[in-house]
Amino acid sequence: MFACFLGASQPEIFYDSLHYHLAVPNLYLLNHGIYKEPNFALAGFVMAIQMFWALPLVLGSTITVKILHVAMSVLLCFAFVAFERRYLSRGAALLGALIFLCMPLVGFTVIKAGIDVAWTTLQFLAVYALTRALVDEHAQIERHRWIR
């Protein structure tokens, strides 16, 4: 993880990040709102994670976005551990997170200001919430109900 944070502290050079993932939110910030850009076809797509990157762009720079992307990978690892402890075995909990972090492609994408790991985090948390709703006992869900 230290290597990922070290890689995230370098300026962004990845084409997709500069041309799309950070450029569109930056255009919205420069124009003080969301607007239709007729000359930039990629601006018409739904951008969930890119809108998360708007706040770090206001508060910092592209390095802030990259560090937040690495932090999303840490959140994903904690979510893996929580899921595996609940539905698999306690011994498998840390193993799944370590296998995920040891994949070379994950290490490559974590240090970019892209959307890959952040989107994976949101998708996994949604699957985890759905699994809890479908598998866990309903009495337990009623007892811990805080979302209405």
Side-chain angles (χ1 to χ4, degrees):
M1 281 318 315
F2 176 74
C4 292
F5 277 107
L6 186 64
S9 67
Q10 307 303 314
E12 184 60 60
I13 58 170
F14 189 52
Y15 175 79
D16 279 353
S17 299
L18 293 174
H19 186 70
Y20 176 59
H21 300 305
L22 299 175
V24 175
N26 198 26
L27 283 174
Y28 294 163
L29 290 172
L30 291 174
N31 289 299
H32 304 288
I34 298 173
Y35 72 101
K36 182 176 180 179
E37 177 62 47
N39 299 324
F40 192 40
L42 299 174
F45 293 119
V46 176
M47 299 182 302
I49 301 298
Q50 286 90 338
M51 288 293 123
F52 285 143
W53 297 159
L55 181 64
L57 283 174
V58 170
L59 298 177
S61 65
T62 59
I63 295 173
T64 312
V65 175
K66 290 172 71 171
I67 290 172
L68 184 61
H69 199 235
V70 173
M72 292 290 273
S73 71
V74 173
L75 175 64
L76 181 60
C77 288
F78 283 132
F80 281 159
V81 169
F83 182 84
E84 292 165 0
R85 277 191 178 171
R86 180 177 289 270
Y87 297 109
L88 299 174
S89 68
R90 289 191 179 270
L94 191 58
L95 183 63
L98 288 175
I99 288 172
F100 174 75
L101 285 176
C102 289
M103 290 184 196
L105 186 60
V106 171
F108 175 75
T109 59
V110 161
I111 62 171
K112 308 293 182 204
I115 62 167
D116 306 321
V117 176
W119 186 252
T120 304
T121 303
L122 293 180
Q123 291 293 319
F124 183 77
L125 290 174
V127 168
Y128 187 21
L130 181 65
T131 305
R132 286 200 64 185
L134 295 175
V135 174
D136 289 356
E137 296 177 17
H138 294 291
Q140 183 182 6
I141 292 173
E142 289 294 325
R143 193 170 54 234
H144 297 292
R145 180 183 232 166
W146 57 276
I147 299 176
R148 295 187 191 257

